[in-house]
Amino acid sequence: MCVMNEPTMALSATGLRKSYGEKLVLDGIDLNVAEGTIFSLLGPNGAGKTTTVQILSTLVAADDGHVSVAGHDLSRDPDGVRAAIGVTGQFSAVDNLLTGQENLILMADLHHLGRKAGRRRAAELLEVFDLAEAGVKTAATYSGGMRRRLDLAMTLVGSPRVIFLDEPTTGLDPRSRRDMWQIIRELVAGGVTVLLTTQYLEEADQLADRIAVLDHGRLVAEGTPDELKRLVPGGHIRLRFGAEDGLAAAARLLGEVSRDDEALTLRVPSDGGVESLRSLLDRLDGIAISSLSVHTPDLDDVFLALTGHDQKETVR
């Protein structure tokens, strides 16, 4: 019998609480992020996403709770945590008066890499992020996408094992956003762990292995994108038949389903899971089906159902 190994956690938080005066920002949340994965935090404005990232990255102290990052206890060894992480915030840390290369060398100096090693690391990152030609130009001349790539490159100077990306693609055009997505995927393929907060549900859907939804400082749901979509009613399987007799036979077997005689289709409520699909096909064994498609709610539907907010209304 094959026993699956439990994944190693790059980050874990238990009972995380934070208040500012009488305002409770985080109300005892628990997080577990496996190594080499992308974990996304979603929530309306004020849900506690940025505060969570600030606590996990040692920028703000929690009122209560336990945090471990890359094997380091945050309360006992904050320096160990800082050495293992990189942070790219909502606002660029790039110095406009310096060139791209100088920005990276400055970060290398802060990491005490030494002159030769620092210049070598800067050159490597400029090449990786397709900024080699732009590296000799001041950052003030960069486009938004170039600045974001440089910002992320600066985060990677110290070769962090865990990276916090707080809304890294806000303000980017669609092409630059997708370029950033590819860079993030490549980082994770290389073993880096990413904790991502974003206002773009498509971004979480495209990138995240797991998603946690925060609302009013509480964790209201967690799972893979597909698992979260199955929490919301409205999922269905659409069956198309080649002949009316097949449609009629299936309708008799399935009972209360939505039927379209003109299109020869049935719409069967379903959570979209493999077991549901297998069960349905078993029931229809012997009836010829031309095609089928599985439809599940998207993350916008999930967000609205779980928080009572339309995510599109929270972006600004």
Side-chain angles (χ1 to χ4, degrees), residues 50 130 143 152 154 269:
T50 296
D130 194 24
S143 67
L152 183 53
M154 291 166 64

Side-chain angles (χ1 to χ4, degrees), residues 204-223:
D205 204 358
Q206 286 282 336
L207 293 178
D209 298 289
R210 294 186 69 78
I211 295 171
V213 182
L214 287 175
D215 192 30
H216 294 98
R218 293 184 176 225
L219 194 66
V220 295
E222 183 186 334

Side-chain angles (χ1 to χ4, degrees), residues 29-274:
I29 69 169
D30 300 334
L31 296 174
N32 288 290
V33 181
E35 281 187 355
T37 64
I38 301 175
F39 190 98
S40 180
L41 283 178
L42 297 180
N45 290 334
K49 304 186 300 297
T50 296
T51 299
T52 300
V53 170
Q54 289 174 334
I55 290 172
L56 297 177
S57 58
T58 78
L59 297 175
V60 170
D63 297 333
D64 197 10
H66 176 265
V67 175
S68 175
V69 180
H72 301 277
D73 185 295
L74 187 146
S75 61
R76 297 177 182 174
D77 187 14
D79 288 339
V81 171
R82 294 184 191 108
I85 67 173
V87 181
T88 298
Q90 295 181 30
F91 305 103
S92 175
V94 171
D95 188 325
N96 285 330
L97 299 179
L98 300 179
T99 66
Q101 182 184 46
E102 289 167 343
N103 270 283
L104 290 168
I105 290 174
L106 174 61
M107 291 302 297
D109 289 343
L110 293 174
H111 282 280
H112 308 292
L113 294 188
R115 180 179 174 83
K116 186 178 293 186
R119 288 183 173 274
R120 184 169 59 247
R121 182 63 172 153
E124 290 172 356
L125 290 169
L126 287 171
E127 192 68 38
V128 167
F129 284 87
D130 194 24
L131 293 170
E133 289 187 14
V136 296
K137 299 176 182 177
T138 59
T141 66
Y142 287 14
S143 67
M146 293 169 66
R147 288 172 59 84
R148 226 34 180 144
R149 295 204 306 273
L150 178 59
D151 203 17
L152 183 53
M154 291 166 64
T155 300
L156 296 176
V157 167
S159 302
R161 294 163 56 190
V162 179
I163 298 176
F164 297 93
L165 300 180
D166 194 9
E167 301 185 17
T169 64
T170 296
L172 296 186
D173 62 76
R175 180 172 180 176
S176 295
R177 184 174 298 129
R178 291 182 181 277
D179 288 344
M180 184 63 75
W181 292 355
Q182 185 56 36
I183 290 170
I184 293 169
R185 291 188 184 103
E186 290 170 0
L187 289 174
V188 173
V192 172
T193 303
V194 172
L195 191 143
L196 167 75
T197 75
T198 179
Q199 293 279 17
Y200 300 107
L201 296 182
E202 182 192 7
E203 185 161 89
D205 204 358
Q206 286 282 336
L207 293 178
D209 298 289
R210 294 186 69 78
I211 295 171
V213 182
L214 287 175
D215 192 30
H216 294 98
R218 293 184 176 225
L219 194 66
V220 295
E222 183 186 334
T224 66
D226 286 341
E227 287 171 346
L228 292 182
K229 292 171 190 175
R230 290 198 290 269
L231 295 175
V232 179
H236 64 275
I237 296 171
R238 188 169 183 265
L239 303 169
R240 182 183 296 277
F241 300 85
E244 291 183 8
D245 56 349
L247 173 71
R252 285 194 299 271
L253 275 174
L254 299 176
E256 294 293 327
V257 295
S258 177
R259 175 172 172 171
D260 186 333
D261 288 273
E262 184 176 344
L264 295 178
T265 61
L266 293 178
R267 176 172 163 165
V268 185
S270 170
D271 63 5
V274 174

